[in-house]
Amino acid sequence: MSHLISQDPEIHAAIEREVHRQNYGLELIASENFVSRSVMQAQGSVFTNKYAEGLPGRRYYGGCEFTDVAEDLARSRAKELFQCDWVNVQPHSGASANAAVYLSCLKPGDTFLGLDLAHGGHLTHGSPVNFSGIWFQATYYGVNEDGRIDMDRVRDKAKSINPKLISIGASAYSRDFDYEAFRAIADEIGALLWMDMAHPAGLIAAGLLNDPLPHAHIVTTTTHKTLRGPRGGMVLIGNDFENPFGKVAPKSGRVRNMSELLDSAVFPGMQGGPLVHVIAAKAVAFKEALQPEFVEYARQVQKNAAVMAQSFLSRGYDVVSGGTDNHLVLVDLRSKNITGRDAERALQAAHITVNKNMVPFDDKSPFVTSGIRLGTAAVTTRGFEEADIEEVVMLIDRVLNAPTNESTQHKVKNEVYALCENHPLYDFVIA
């Protein structure tokens, strides 16, 4: 980075400190992961210079012949990875991918049904502070006292409100989904079914969780998290179908397929030029995810999460739903007399990064919360296995048992440093 250090030493210094933070801290935020050096190199390539509005072969700009190669590779690899008919790899984020679904399937004021954010849902699934809850009539299903979704209650809610769209997916739900049951409900009331698989996408690609693509009409995802690619989004359809809204193609008058509506919703509906450098990095990540080594990685993510949940339970913590099926563990701290906010701060001082998170039936605000959310995708990338995860939970427990004790935090920080040195992440120094 010789050019950067001479031209902008302040930014260079921030990057250098971030490299150190990632190398010598425990990254347990469930929505984060570490990309390979190949993904980083693709994302940092000269593709960042290129405008490429439109789709391969149908661009609004010239000079896109090599851009088309990169995007076609990303699309074909994503189709192979998820065994689907159609994919759009251009969304800048999971939120913009989700926005394309709303734009394609709903009109302002239409009703949809999604998982309550307070019960593990996602901001873009109807939160009143998000566009999804501002522009549309959001209604919610939740979890039972056991922390699991009750499909009978979902059916009752869907039949009572008759939404045009039902969404599945979550940011803090640790169990798998019954897509067949969701589809049966959607078919019963004549709704479209959409799955946002942003969190478990890598585990789904590896065949370790139920596959939504045979059941959901539309699937969206981020490309980071368990998929271990660059930060971005994607929209997929398992089997393309004629859109149910009767929308026709401008010239031919034929009824357009759902994929065509979604393509138009991504561009020009929701965003302008795609980020070609990110699309190139997505292609690299999808190729990595098609390798047998990725399946082994995903399997270890799942094993590590199960061990983490059990380790918390054995130390007297309340784990929402009693465990996990995926990469995520949601811990209710009310029995430990500490808030999620205070837990996050105490652990940060020990170089353990988690995020405060609401738990079902929380009695505290989203700015305080009663829980913390943890995930095993990032630490598994750097080689952590079951014994390491048990040590991690032990370190967390020590901090949370003395959340204001700076001496404990300092000692744990040194142990975290040693643990990370045994599992090096990036073997380069920014210089």
Side-chain angles (χ1 to χ4, degrees):
M1 288 195 172
S2 57
H3 292 290
L4 182 60
I5 195 171
S6 61
Q7 184 172 333
D8 198 330
E10 293 90 354
I11 287 295
H12 176 271
I15 294 173
E16 193 172 47
R17 289 194 294 268
E18 178 62 14
V19 169
H20 187 274
R21 187 193 72 83
Q22 292 186 21
N23 270 329
Y24 296 105
L26 290 177
E27 191 59 74
L28 296 174
I29 292 178
S31 53
E32 295 189 7
N33 209 334
F34 300 117
V35 301
S36 69
R37 294 181 67 171
S38 297
V39 169
M40 275 196 287
Q41 288 176 0
Q43 187 159 359
S45 70
V46 295
F47 274 130
T48 195
N49 300 326
K50 191 72 191 83
Y51 247 106
E53 291 179 353
L55 292 166
R58 294 184 286 138
R59 304 288 189 182
Y60 290 82
Y61 287 82
C64 291
E65 57 268 34
F66 306 116
T67 292
D68 286 0
V69 171
E71 185 165 346
D72 279 337
L73 283 170
R75 294 195 300 181
S76 63
R77 290 170 181 175
K79 288 178 184 178
E80 182 180 357
L81 184 62
F82 290 103
Q83 295 296 295
C84 62
D85 274 358
W86 171 89
V87 62
N88 187 305
V89 297
Q90 292 188 4
H92 300 336
S93 66
S96 58
N98 293 351
V101 175
Y102 290 117
L103 185 61
S104 300
C105 299
L106 300 178
K107 295 178 181 178
D110 280 350
T111 299
F112 74 95
L113 176 65
L115 178 60
D116 192 337
L117 179 62
H119 286 210
H122 190 262
L123 188 71
T124 58
H125 294 190
S127 169
V129 300
N130 182 259
F131 76 91
S132 58
I134 295 171
W135 292 347
F136 308 105
Q137 183 63 44
T139 58
Y140 313 103
Y141 57 89
V143 299
N144 287 341
E145 293 290 342
D146 63 1
R148 294 174 181 260
I149 294 170
D150 183 333
M151 294 308 301
D152 289 333
R153 293 180 64 182
V154 174
R155 178 178 288 102
D156 291 342
K157 187 65 178 281
K159 291 176 71 174
S160 69
I161 63 173
N162 198 34
K164 291 188 175 180
L165 179 71
I166 298 175
S167 71
I168 323 171
S171 63
Y173 184 69
S174 62
R175 296 300 182 175
D176 205 353
F177 295 98
D178 186 344
Y179 302 112
E180 188 173 358
F182 270 105
R183 180 57 183 264
I185 295 169
D187 287 346
E188 185 176 352
I189 64 170
L192 287 176
L193 182 64
W194 156 45
M195 167 59 177
D196 178 353
M197 64 174 181
H199 268 274
L203 304 181
I204 291 168
L208 303 176
L209 292 174
N210 293 331
D211 185 357
L213 283 151
H215 305 288
H217 293 95
I218 305 168
V219 174
T220 57
T221 186
T222 53
T223 49
H224 43 291
K225 302 186 178 76
T226 56
L227 200 49
R228 205 162 59 175
R231 299 188 64 83
M234 183 163 59
V235 190
L236 313 94
I237 295 177
N239 295 288
D240 202 3
F241 58 99
E242 191 176 272
N243 82 81
F245 317 112
K247 294 182 179 180
V248 300
K251 293 183 179 180
S252 67
R254 65 175 177 79
V255 176
R256 302 167 75 188
N257 282 350
M258 198 68 214
S259 61
E260 296 175 88
L261 295 189
L262 288 162
D263 275 334
S264 296
V266 173
F267 170 81
M270 293 307 304
Q271 61 189 41
L275 306 176
V276 182
H277 56 302
V278 180
I279 290 173
K282 290 175 184 178
V284 175
F286 299 155
K287 183 175 182 179
E288 292 174 353
L290 285 164
Q291 308 310 310
E293 294 82 4
F294 184 85
V295 176
E296 292 307 310
Y297 158 74
R299 186 172 287 116
Q300 191 63 51
V301 168
Q302 204 173 37
K303 289 179 181 177
N304 285 348
V307 167
M308 177 177 283
Q310 186 56 47
S311 295
F312 275 113
L313 288 167
S314 69
R315 288 173 169 80
Y317 290 82
D318 294 327
V319 174
V320 175
S321 82
T324 181
D325 296 326
N326 52 35
H327 65 298
L328 186 151
V329 177
L330 185 59
V331 180
D332 187 334
L333 296 170
R334 284 178 287 193
S335 65
K336 295 292 184 175
N337 198 32
I338 182 174
T339 67
R341 180 180 62 188
D342 290 343
E344 178 186 302
R345 290 173 176 173
L347 290 167
Q348 183 66 49
H351 286 195
I352 301 172
T353 307
V354 304
N355 66 273
K356 62 182 176 292
N357 210 98
M358 292 188 75
V359 296
F361 313 105
D362 208 325
D363 56 357
K364 298 179 180 65
S365 80
F367 302 101
V368 178
T369 80
S370 295
I372 53 174
R373 184 187 67 157
L374 308 97
T376 57
V379 290
T380 305
T381 291
R382 65 189 304 166
F384 281 46
E385 296 183 346
E386 290 92 331
D388 303 304
I389 297 299
E390 290 179 349
E391 183 175 355
V392 167
V393 176
M394 179 269 292
L395 294 173
I396 292 171
D397 184 49
R398 281 171 54 192
V399 172
L400 296 187
N401 280 324
T404 60
N405 190 314
E406 293 182 3
S407 176
T408 297
Q409 292 167 358
H410 182 72
K411 290 176 182 177
V412 169
K413 180 172 68 175
N414 289 336
E415 292 179 56
V416 166
Y417 190 99
L419 184 59
C420 290
E421 277 200 320
N422 291 332
H423 299 281
L425 178 58
Y426 294 124
D427 60 351
F428 58 82
V429 176
I430 301 297

